[in-house]
Amino acid sequence: MGSELKDLNSKPAKTQQPDPNDDDASAKDHRPLLESTASSAAEDIQELEKKFAAFVRNDVYGSLGCGKLPLKEKLLLGIALVTLLPLRLLLVMSILVLYYLICKIFTLCSAPNLEEDQEDYAHLGGCRRAVILQSGRYLSRLLLFMVGFYWINETHKDSANTQDNSKTESTKQSEERVRPGAIVSNHLSYLDVLYHMSSSFPSFVAKKSVSKLPLVGLIGKCLGCVFVQRESKSSDFKGVAGIVTDRVRNAHQNELAPMILLFPEGTTTNGDFLLPFKTGAFLAGAPVMPVILRYSYRRFSPAWESISGVRHVVFLLCQFVNNLEVTRLPIYHPSQQEKDNPKLYANNVRKLMAAEGDLIVSDIGLAEKRIYLAALNGLLGQS
């Protein structure tokens, strides 16, 4: 991959040296040079997009959200920047502060749960937990509404898991009552978390730095998030994997335990592909609930795969209507063979989600995404 990237960026243009005293000749010589460079960069970007199709933006805003916009889109964006954007920012911040205050009040005089360098309030019970949970679900849905997700199309599949075909009706009914250990979902955007919060209010895995953010840090602790240091090479990785496995097992066995949401792809895509699954959600051998998300769009794609966070938020808030389609599959009950082999379990759930969601299976992952973004930034910087 590194050698391919090197080849893409090593295409020097051959030009003749103009006479420094001949201004006309200099201007004529520079024009084809610029055109050649722009053409070469466009060809290189096309090559990159073929190799890293899972991370390519296909909306009108183009690569990195820096594409040339048609006049109509510029006018719509300009109007939204001075009307819709400030209003929505105010509403979003108001909802965020309100929920932070709820979390702050209902965690007063309560010591956080500390284990394996983690800190959370998911152990709270009684009315305090109920208020945090129900208000969190309601305000998450309200926040989605405020940013343009006025309706969410949810589909519940009755029989997506073909292994159920050989089971008796009584076995199926007993399995339907079994609580899954985790929700596994494809990952497209930070908006995914908001939807799942409004639906089932699960805990999830987040970067360690999130726990220290104003407002969001306390909310994450109330959710019971598992905070990890992604780039860490130390031995605490096993500790984090152990915590996730324990959370999955506990959620499966204890109805009062918070459900955990896991994105086994490990990074976001443009929504048309499904990357290889990591095994963290499947190590416990507990049943999981597969959920497939898809953002439909006409102008700006809400998927956050290869665009800066600030640019994405601005464009998202400037789009009056945003659409989300959700497909919920039946709880997937692993066979004994899948319990013994988490990799097999993960691959089988991935195949099921790809088939039911009409997603393209891809073999690339986070490492290739970083290569694509670095190359794309370099090429667009040259053009």
Side-chain angles (χ1 to χ4, degrees), residues 323-375:
N323 300 299
L324 172 59
E325 300 171 5
V326 181
T327 303
R328 290 181 166 273
L329 304 184
I331 297 173
Y332 189 106
H333 298 268
S335 64
Q336 188 58 50
Q337 185 180 11
E338 289 171 324
K339 291 180 181 179
D340 297 335
N341 187 345
K343 190 172 183 180
L344 174 66
Y345 185 7
N347 287 338
N348 287 344
V349 173
R350 181 184 178 223
K351 291 177 182 177
L352 173 67
M353 292 176 66
E356 294 296 328
D358 195 23
L359 301 173
I360 303 170
V361 175
S362 174
D363 293 328
I364 61 178
L366 179 59
E368 288 79 8
K369 182 178 185 178
R370 288 172 173 165
I371 292 174
Y372 170 67
L373 293 178

Side-chain angles (χ1 to χ4, degrees), residues 59-72:
D59 59 10
V60 298
Y61 287 80
S63 301
L64 300 180
C66 300
K68 293 182 179 180
L69 300 178
L71 179 59
K72 180 181 178 181

Side-chain angles (χ1 to χ4, degrees), residues 94-151:
S94 299
I95 294 172
L96 189 60
V97 170
L98 174 60
Y99 188 52
Y100 169 80
L101 292 175
I102 292 174
C103 292
K104 189 70 175 178
I105 292 170
F106 284 88
T107 55
L108 286 175
C109 304
S110 299
N113 180 41
L114 301 173
E115 62 172 19
E116 300 289 340
D117 198 30
Q118 299 293 315
E119 180 180 353
D120 66 73
Y121 292 95
H123 65 289
L124 294 178
C127 66
R128 290 187 297 176
R129 180 64 184 171
V131 170
I132 290 174
L133 191 151
Q134 294 302 328
S135 62
R137 292 183 63 177
Y138 173 77
L139 291 176
S140 295
R141 183 63 189 93
L142 180 60
L143 198 154
L144 284 171
F145 183 88
M146 293 301 179
V147 300
F149 292 93
Y150 305 119
W151 55 87

Side-chain angles (χ1 to χ4, degrees), residues 296-317:
S296 56
Y297 61 92
R298 291 183 180 179
R299 297 164 49 220
F300 176 75
S301 170
W304 184 40
E305 70 298 270
S306 56
I307 181 174
S308 71
V310 173
R311 189 180 292 267
H312 186 276
V313 170
V314 170
F315 291 159
L316 178 77
L317 296 183

Side-chain angles (χ1 to χ4, degrees), residues 266-281:
T267 190
T268 55
T269 69
N270 58 18
D272 296 326
F273 292 79
L274 201 60
L275 307 183
F277 278 10
K278 300 181 184 299
T279 58

